[in-house]
Amino acid sequence: MKARAFDYVRPETLEAALQVFRDADVDAAYIAGGQSLVPALALRLQAPALLIDIARLQELRGLSVENGFLRIGAATRHFEILNSELVSQHAPLLAKAAPFVAHPAIRNRGTFGGSLALADPASEFPAMALALDAEIEIASLDNPRRVSAADFFLDLYETALQPGEMISAVHVPVASPLNRCAFDELARRRGDYALVGAGVNAEIRGGQVEQIRIAFLSVGPTPMRARTAEESLTGRPLTSESIRQAQEALVADLDPPGDEHTPAEMRLHLARVLLGRLLARLEADE
Amino acid sequence: MNAFAGSLDRPNSYIGRSVSRPNAKRLLEGKGRYVTDLVLPRMLHAAFVRSPYAHGRIVSIDTAEAAALPGVRAIFTGKDMAAICKPWVGTLDHFRNMKSPPQLPLSLDKVMWSGQPIVLIVADSRAIAEDAAELVGVEIEDLPVLADPVEAMSAEPMSEDMGDNTCFSLALDNGGVDEAFAKAQHLLEESFVFGRHTAVTLEPRAIVADYDASENRLTAHHATQTPYQFQDVYSRHFDIPEANVRVIAPDIGGSFGMKLHVYHEEMAVVGASILLGRPVKYVADRMESFVSDIHARDHRVTARLAVGEDGRISGMEVDDVTAIGPFSSYPRTSAVEGNQVIRLMGAPYDFSAYRANLSVVFQNKVQTSQYRAVGHPIACAVTECMVDAAARKLGLDPFEIRARNLIPDDSYPRKSPTGYQFEKLSHEACLSRLKSIMNYDALRREQAELRKKGVLRGIGIALFVEITNPSPAFYGIGGARISAQDGAIVKLTPSGEVHCSISVTEQGQGTETIIGQIVADQLGVNRDRVRVMTGDTDTTPHGGATWACRGAGIGGETALQASRKLKANVLSIAALILQAQAGELDIRDDWIIDVATGQQRLSLAEVARIAFFRSDTLPAGTQAQLSVVHHYAPQGYPFAFTNGAQGSLVEVDPETGFVKILKHWVVEDCGRIINPLLVDEQIRGGVVQGLGAAFFEECLYNREGQLTNGSLADYLVPMAYEMPDIEISHVETLTGDTELGAKGVGEAGTAAASAAAMNAVNDALAGHGAVLTQIPMTPARILKALGSI
Amino acid sequence: MTGKIAISLTVNGEEIEAHVTPRVTLADFLRQDVQLTGTHTGCEMGACGACLVLIDDRPVHACLMFAVQADGCVVDTVEGLTARKAIADLQRTFHERNALQCGFCTPGMLVSAYGILAAGGVPEREEIRDALSGNYCRCTGYEAIVDAIELTAKQRHQQAAREEA
């Protein structure tokens, strides 16, 4: 499994990288961690003629808190998310999801921005970006902008990124003192793509759910918010009854695909079970 | 007992000792020498163009663009190979009525499975060869695909001259079945489906074929378990004198039987080297491995059991349909597995009314053949699940029903209803030991407590019988040139060290280590002084190599007998040097000693020095024979059967269908244990392969004959996080057929692990009206059985 | 195509300058160009762990990097770790516990183990199994490997306690 031939450049600045892509008269692709791109090249599923290495761009680095947001540079490696004090303090849902991302060696190379840009519906971080109402900062020659996670994931492997654009940073609203969150996934083996996974991020005051975000992975072409389930819980206490109703509401939110391994009704069933367990964890945390 | 009783007290007593492997050190430092590491001067690299269709007629092949790519050295098609390679047919005479279409390295006309190699590209690098492969145009007219064995049995034959799609069928009838079923108080019937597996060795298949036209000499550096078989195969099929074919099997990254078989790709690469006169290297990449490595274990079994009110089995009947590839594998056939399935059914139990039907059916899928525990997992799972089903029906404890049915330990020798001869097994001892090490009663109490909280624990057990140490009854009588004997050369070196070249081979189980232990033990030397060499047809005698758990029992006996011969020769020279009687002397700790006093008289190094360099000081006419060659062919029983019992503890999450494997136990009786450490690790590895079968592994084919999960991301092999710790205990019933008394153990773990796991899951689900009779027991299948989806 | 790219990197403590074709993976570069065959390839897609090396002291799949990406990096393979005795205790416990059979997964296991032990402390068996979740072994069934890593962690912990005393 050897990749087709390609050229390789490593521009020194973000601006230069964007320009190299623009100027290329062949199929170009950015490479950061490469943990998904390299196997795709090895399998010849993709064959860009030019790889533009962006992993070391200074503009994409950094983990900091500014103006109520945790800024995660796109080139931040997964292991940095896992080990970061800032993340566990200000975006605990990410810290809870991080141990489930692939395996340790993959986490040593894969990048947060790369994960969102690929938008694999079975990945943890795109779904968590959704659950955290993150804002994705897009570097672009024509149209640099910030896009909310809710508007970023469009279809299978399709995001708001136009060809040649790249994510420069992700901004996550810092968790308030009322924050409770939980993450879990059901995977056949540790580190495998999950059959179903979910993150719940909530603000709970005096036993009442003030705000709640529920995002699922592996239930459709993109990560999915379960808005009906969220609404059913907003303004209510977390009880076994309200949890049960949220589980039932899921059928309005999710219409998962089926395949030969996992029938559609099984994914929905697992999604319900998983939601129940995550909400029970939040209930127990109080 | 015998000569080895209390043996661990003697100096140089290595038999029965857990010692580390001398040849593992280099592996730990990254200094292993695998075929995938090998580089030869002017070596070229191979890649294949493969059929995307499962069945079709090749209309045209266009290689012009590929041939023009810089770095491409040659492109070969079926005609090129047919001109220099005789076709092979994978049948054995003792499987009457067996048939199989002849095979050539690259097809001349048809493609028979998706993934079949059609064109061979040889280039300066693998990457260029793959680039060129993309440029080859192959036009194939697709034909109807047979991807269901039952359908295939009545469909048009996929191969001309075969008449139908049944490769082999066999009916066994020991008599009394209809009567037993008519009279029985309880009749149980169940249908089972077993997932198709593949070995997934971490090092893929690899070969460097190096043909030297100047000497008409072929050297194949081949990642195989059996260099001797391939020396014969390459010689006969490429018409090169046997003595001019050298096969070297160096370090190998796993085999488990998969690398015993003849593959189209390796044959084509040998052909390419012959045609080019240069070394050609082929390493199967992981994607190719899935569509070319042999598959195994694709069975649909219907079983019926006749049981009395007291739980006594009075009769059993099975029907087994097994799906193979478009032809039978060579030279060991694709029928051995099915043959073993129907002959191992019910093996631990005392009943005689047995009837079985086996149909081995061609499919447009990858070929199948022997893979670790050949047939045993299916026979054991069917038997043990039926026994547990009977237990549940009668309200009997699983240990109790087995105790009532197993062949008592004092009733040997015995013959099974299927014709197997058991010298002596120990089912009673193993069953009771299992119950003890599992702390079974406590597990049941804990299970009951947890059930009140809605936690579903399951406990499952399985008894098993395993075939080891085969005589020519396996292959020789069928006309295959696969040896059942082994040979060893044992030499004293000029410095008084010991060198042993032997025809059993090493795949990491520790063959070289245990041979070294036996040689050192029998000679009376420190094992640090013994070097064992394997895996090269030029430097070892011809033998059976390692498979079917024959290395310790047969190879070990060969080394033992050879070492005793050498010892006698050493003592006779020592006696001449010391002017004593050979009978008064022994060898201990590298020294010739007086038996009576234990006094050291002469070092082995000194004996060697004199024999090699000062023969003038020995009595006239003395000819020192400090190199000995000895062969041993198994005698007595056609197979050395072993037996054991396994236990599994699981926790089933009824809401998700996920199963957590909590623990596994094995009680194994493999006769004399030469190295307990190595034996236990073999068992553990085998168990995990069986648990992989039980919960994760299956090759999924669609109706078009496409393997839909042929990647490591989709074919789920067991990984560390999901696997349990495994507790092991032993019973040792020696075989009287050899001095060593050792039987085999390599496949025991795999033989019964999935059966125990199935029984555990079904135990957890008992009371929920759910029974699993298909493996792997995936969450989807468990949820379906529970009625949740 | 522009052809080869000049890279310079440190491999097992040695400065290496090379001109590489961009599509050559780090695994193939190490095995073929530098002739360090201790790093193995089992899948070429990051699913088996046979190819693990250290990049800047962290375990990384060498098959999931192109050699050109490793420019300026510090790479350690099993050979280098052996030479500077960084895993001598692991190799000893693996050997004594027979935590390897065919040896093909072993270099990758040792690199993973290096990563596990670098975190310090004595991990629970489940933690060890979790950290090994990307390392495929077909021979051992994993338990002996977990035993060897657990034992090494305990030995290092005891050694550190002795040194502090």
Side-chain angles (χ1 to χ4, degrees), chain B residues 180-211:
Chain B
F181 276 93
K183 288 185 4 199
Q185 276 98 40
H186 297 278
L187 292 177
L188 295 110
E189 178 163 342
E190 200 55 83
S191 290
F192 298 86
V193 177
F194 293 91
R196 192 176 179 100
H197 293 150
T198 187
V200 197
T201 57
L202 190 53
E203 183 194 24
R205 296 191 346 265
I207 187 170
V208 177
D210 184 10
Y211 177 73

Short mmCIF file of all heavy atoms in Angstrom, two decimals, chain B residues 180-211:
data_model
loop_
_atom_site.label_atom_id
_atom_site.label_comp_id
_atom_site.label_asym_id
_atom_site.label_seq_id
_atom_site.Cartn_x
_atom_site.Cartn_y
_atom_site.Cartn_z
N ALA B 180 -31.63 -44.73 18.93
CA ALA B 180 -31.37 -43.85 20.07
C ALA B 180 -32.35 -42.68 20.07
O ALA B 180 -32.90 -42.32 21.11
CB ALA B 180 -29.94 -43.35 20.04
N PHE B 181 -32.60 -42.12 18.91
CA PHE B 181 -33.50 -40.96 18.85
C PHE B 181 -34.94 -41.39 19.10
O PHE B 181 -35.72 -40.65 19.70
CB PHE B 181 -33.36 -40.25 17.50
CG PHE B 181 -32.22 -39.26 17.50
CD1 PHE B 181 -30.96 -39.63 17.07
CD2 PHE B 181 -32.39 -37.98 17.98
CE1 PHE B 181 -29.89 -38.74 17.09
CE2 PHE B 181 -31.33 -37.07 18.01
CZ PHE B 181 -30.08 -37.46 17.57
N ALA B 182 -35.27 -42.58 18.66
CA ALA B 182 -36.64 -43.04 18.88
C ALA B 182 -36.91 -43.27 20.36
O ALA B 182 -38.00 -43.00 20.85
CB ALA B 182 -36.88 -44.32 18.08
N LYS B 183 -35.91 -43.76 21.07
CA LYS B 183 -36.11 -44.13 22.47
C LYS B 183 -35.84 -43.00 23.46
O LYS B 183 -36.26 -43.08 24.61
CB LYS B 183 -35.19 -45.31 22.83
CG LYS B 183 -35.64 -46.59 22.18
CD LYS B 183 -34.91 -47.87 22.53
CE LYS B 183 -33.82 -47.87 23.55
NZ LYS B 183 -32.97 -49.07 23.37
N ALA B 184 -35.16 -41.96 23.03
CA ALA B 184 -34.71 -40.96 24.00
C ALA B 184 -35.87 -40.18 24.61
O ALA B 184 -36.86 -39.90 23.95
CB ALA B 184 -33.75 -39.99 23.32
N GLN B 185 -35.69 -39.81 25.86
CA GLN B 185 -36.70 -38.99 26.52
C GLN B 185 -36.67 -37.54 26.01
O GLN B 185 -37.69 -36.87 26.01
CB GLN B 185 -36.48 -38.97 28.04
CG GLN B 185 -37.08 -40.16 28.78
CD GLN B 185 -36.04 -41.22 29.05
OE1 GLN B 185 -34.91 -40.89 29.38
NE2 GLN B 185 -36.41 -42.47 28.91
N HIS B 186 -35.49 -37.10 25.66
CA HIS B 186 -35.37 -35.72 25.19
C HIS B 186 -34.58 -35.65 23.90
O HIS B 186 -33.54 -36.30 23.76
CB HIS B 186 -34.68 -34.86 26.26
CG HIS B 186 -35.44 -34.77 27.53
ND1 HIS B 186 -36.50 -33.89 27.69
CD2 HIS B 186 -35.32 -35.44 28.69
CE1 HIS B 186 -36.99 -34.05 28.93
NE2 HIS B 186 -36.29 -34.99 29.54
N LEU B 187 -35.11 -34.87 22.98
CA LEU B 187 -34.40 -34.63 21.73
C LEU B 187 -34.13 -33.14 21.62
O LEU B 187 -35.04 -32.33 21.81
CB LEU B 187 -35.26 -35.06 20.53
CG LEU B 187 -35.52 -36.55 20.38
CD1 LEU B 187 -36.44 -36.80 19.18
CD2 LEU B 187 -34.21 -37.30 20.19
N LEU B 188 -32.89 -32.82 21.36
CA LEU B 188 -32.55 -31.41 21.16
C LEU B 188 -32.03 -31.23 19.75
O LEU B 188 -31.31 -32.09 19.23
CB LEU B 188 -31.48 -30.97 22.16
CG LEU B 188 -31.95 -31.01 23.60
CD1 LEU B 188 -31.26 -32.12 24.37
CD2 LEU B 188 -31.70 -29.67 24.27
N GLU B 189 -32.40 -30.13 19.16
CA GLU B 189 -31.90 -29.82 17.82
C GLU B 189 -31.55 -28.35 17.76
O GLU B 189 -32.25 -27.50 18.31
CB GLU B 189 -32.96 -30.15 16.75
CG GLU B 189 -32.47 -29.81 15.35
CD GLU B 189 -33.29 -30.47 14.25
OE1 GLU B 189 -34.00 -31.45 14.53
OE2 GLU B 189 -33.20 -30.00 13.11
N GLU B 190 -30.45 -28.07 17.10
CA GLU B 190 -30.01 -26.69 17.00
C GLU B 190 -29.24 -26.51 15.71
O GLU B 190 -28.61 -27.44 15.24
CB GLU B 190 -29.12 -26.36 18.22
CG GLU B 190 -28.98 -24.90 18.52
CD GLU B 190 -30.32 -24.19 18.69
OE1 GLU B 190 -30.87 -24.25 19.81
OE2 GLU B 190 -30.79 -23.58 17.73
N SER B 191 -29.31 -25.31 15.18
CA SER B 191 -28.51 -24.98 13.99
C SER B 191 -27.50 -23.90 14.34
O SER B 191 -27.85 -22.91 14.98
CB SER B 191 -29.41 -24.46 12.87
OG SER B 191 -30.18 -25.52 12.38
N PHE B 192 -26.28 -24.10 13.91
CA PHE B 192 -25.19 -23.19 14.26
C PHE B 192 -24.58 -22.58 13.01
O PHE B 192 -24.48 -23.24 11.97
CB PHE B 192 -24.08 -23.97 14.99
CG PHE B 192 -24.52 -24.57 16.29
CD1 PHE B 192 -25.13 -25.82 16.32
CD2 PHE B 192 -24.31 -23.90 17.49
CE1 PHE B 192 -25.53 -26.39 17.53
CE2 PHE B 192 -24.70 -24.47 18.70
CZ PHE B 192 -25.32 -25.71 18.72
N VAL B 193 -24.12 -21.35 13.15
CA VAL B 193 -23.39 -20.70 12.06
C VAL B 193 -22.06 -20.21 12.61
O VAL B 193 -22.02 -19.53 13.64
CB VAL B 193 -24.18 -19.50 11.49
CG1 VAL B 193 -23.36 -18.79 10.41
CG2 VAL B 193 -25.52 -19.97 10.92
N PHE B 194 -21.00 -20.58 11.91
CA PHE B 194 -19.67 -20.17 12.36
C PHE B 194 -19.06 -19.19 11.38
O PHE B 194 -19.03 -19.44 10.17
CB PHE B 194 -18.78 -21.41 12.53
CG PHE B 194 -19.24 -22.29 13.65
CD1 PHE B 194 -20.13 -23.32 13.41
CD2 PHE B 194 -18.83 -22.03 14.95
CE1 PHE B 194 -20.59 -24.11 14.45
CE2 PHE B 194 -19.30 -22.81 16.00
CZ PHE B 194 -20.18 -23.85 15.76
N GLY B 195 -18.57 -18.09 11.89
CA GLY B 195 -17.99 -17.05 11.06
C GLY B 195 -16.73 -17.52 10.36
O GLY B 195 -15.94 -18.26 10.93
N ARG B 196 -16.57 -17.05 9.15
CA ARG B 196 -15.37 -17.34 8.38
C ARG B 196 -14.22 -16.50 8.94
O ARG B 196 -14.39 -15.32 9.19
CB ARG B 196 -15.66 -16.97 6.93
CG ARG B 196 -14.68 -17.43 5.89
CD ARG B 196 -15.25 -17.01 4.52
NE ARG B 196 -14.39 -17.37 3.43
CZ ARG B 196 -14.56 -18.43 2.64
NH1 ARG B 196 -15.57 -19.24 2.82
NH2 ARG B 196 -13.71 -18.66 1.66
N HIS B 197 -13.07 -17.12 9.14
CA HIS B 197 -11.95 -16.42 9.74
C HIS B 197 -10.77 -16.33 8.80
O HIS B 197 -10.68 -17.07 7.83
CB HIS B 197 -11.48 -17.16 11.00
CG HIS B 197 -12.49 -17.13 12.09
ND1 HIS B 197 -12.61 -18.14 13.01
CD2 HIS B 197 -13.45 -16.23 12.40
CE1 HIS B 197 -13.59 -17.86 13.84
NE2 HIS B 197 -14.12 -16.71 13.48
N THR B 198 -9.84 -15.46 9.16
CA THR B 198 -8.54 -15.45 8.51
C THR B 198 -7.50 -15.16 9.58
O THR B 198 -7.80 -14.60 10.62
CB THR B 198 -8.51 -14.43 7.34
OG1 THR B 198 -7.29 -14.56 6.63
CG2 THR B 198 -8.69 -13.00 7.82
N ALA B 199 -6.25 -15.58 9.31
CA ALA B 199 -5.26 -15.65 10.38
C ALA B 199 -4.79 -14.28 10.87
O ALA B 199 -4.49 -14.11 12.04
CB ALA B 199 -4.05 -16.47 9.91
N VAL B 200 -4.68 -13.33 9.98
CA VAL B 200 -4.17 -11.99 10.30
C VAL B 200 -2.87 -12.08 11.10
O VAL B 200 -2.76 -11.61 12.24
CB VAL B 200 -5.21 -11.12 11.05
CG1 VAL B 200 -4.80 -9.64 10.98
CG2 VAL B 200 -6.60 -11.28 10.47
N THR B 201 -1.88 -12.72 10.48
CA THR B 201 -0.55 -12.72 11.08
C THR B 201 -0.01 -11.29 10.98
O THR B 201 -0.28 -10.60 10.00
CB THR B 201 0.38 -13.65 10.30
OG1 THR B 201 0.43 -13.24 8.93
CG2 THR B 201 -0.12 -15.09 10.37
N LEU B 202 0.73 -10.85 11.97
CA LEU B 202 1.18 -9.46 11.92
C LEU B 202 2.18 -9.24 10.78
O LEU B 202 2.11 -8.23 10.07
CB LEU B 202 1.77 -9.03 13.27
CG LEU B 202 2.05 -7.53 13.39
CD1 LEU B 202 0.82 -6.69 13.06
CD2 LEU B 202 2.54 -7.21 14.79
N GLU B 203 3.10 -10.20 10.59
CA GLU B 203 3.92 -10.11 9.39
C GLU B 203 3.12 -10.77 8.27
O GLU B 203 2.71 -11.92 8.38
CB GLU B 203 5.26 -10.85 9.55
CG GLU B 203 6.16 -10.70 8.32
CD GLU B 203 7.34 -11.68 8.28
OE1 GLU B 203 7.26 -12.75 8.91
OE2 GLU B 203 8.33 -11.36 7.60
N PRO B 204 2.86 -10.05 7.19
CA PRO B 204 2.11 -10.68 6.11
C PRO B 204 2.94 -11.76 5.42
O PRO B 204 4.12 -11.94 5.72
CB PRO B 204 1.83 -9.53 5.14
CG PRO B 204 2.48 -8.32 5.70
CD PRO B 204 3.32 -8.71 6.87
N ARG B 205 2.32 -12.45 4.46
CA ARG B 205 3.07 -13.45 3.70
C ARG B 205 4.18 -12.75 2.93
O ARG B 205 3.99 -11.63 2.43
CB ARG B 205 2.15 -14.19 2.73
CG ARG B 205 1.08 -14.99 3.43
CD ARG B 205 0.31 -15.95 2.51
NE ARG B 205 0.46 -15.74 1.10
CZ ARG B 205 -0.38 -15.03 0.34
NH1 ARG B 205 -1.42 -14.47 0.90
NH2 ARG B 205 -0.16 -14.93 -0.94
N ALA B 206 5.32 -13.41 2.85
CA ALA B 206 6.46 -12.79 2.17
C ALA B 206 7.37 -13.86 1.60
O ALA B 206 7.49 -14.94 2.17
CB ALA B 206 7.25 -11.91 3.14
N ILE B 207 7.97 -13.54 0.46
CA ILE B 207 8.94 -14.46 -0.13
C ILE B 207 9.96 -13.65 -0.92
O ILE B 207 9.62 -12.63 -1.52
CB ILE B 207 8.23 -15.48 -1.05
CG1 ILE B 207 9.24 -16.54 -1.55
CG2 ILE B 207 7.55 -14.81 -2.23
CD1 ILE B 207 8.58 -17.73 -2.26
N VAL B 208 11.22 -14.07 -0.88
CA VAL B 208 12.21 -13.57 -1.83
C VAL B 208 12.68 -14.80 -2.59
O VAL B 208 13.31 -15.69 -2.03
CB VAL B 208 13.41 -12.89 -1.13
CG1 VAL B 208 14.43 -12.47 -2.17
CG2 VAL B 208 12.94 -11.69 -0.32
N ALA B 209 12.31 -14.86 -3.86
CA ALA B 209 12.71 -15.99 -4.71
C ALA B 209 13.98 -15.59 -5.45
O ALA B 209 14.05 -14.52 -6.04
CB ALA B 209 11.60 -16.33 -5.70
N ASP B 210 14.98 -16.44 -5.39
CA ASP B 210 16.28 -16.09 -5.97
C ASP B 210 16.77 -17.24 -6.84
O ASP B 210 17.30 -18.23 -6.34
CB ASP B 210 17.26 -15.80 -4.81
CG ASP B 210 18.61 -15.35 -5.31
OD1 ASP B 210 18.76 -15.06 -6.53
OD2 ASP B 210 19.54 -15.26 -4.48
N TYR B 211 16.56 -17.12 -8.12
CA TYR B 211 16.94 -18.18 -9.04
C TYR B 211 18.26 -17.84 -9.72
O TYR B 211 18.43 -16.74 -10.26
CB TYR B 211 15.85 -18.41 -10.10
CG TYR B 211 16.23 -19.47 -11.10
CD1 TYR B 211 16.23 -20.82 -10.75
CD2 TYR B 211 16.63 -19.12 -12.40
CE1 TYR B 211 16.61 -21.79 -11.66
CE2 TYR B 211 17.01 -20.10 -13.32
CZ TYR B 211 16.99 -21.44 -12.94
OH TYR B 211 17.37 -22.39 -13.84
#
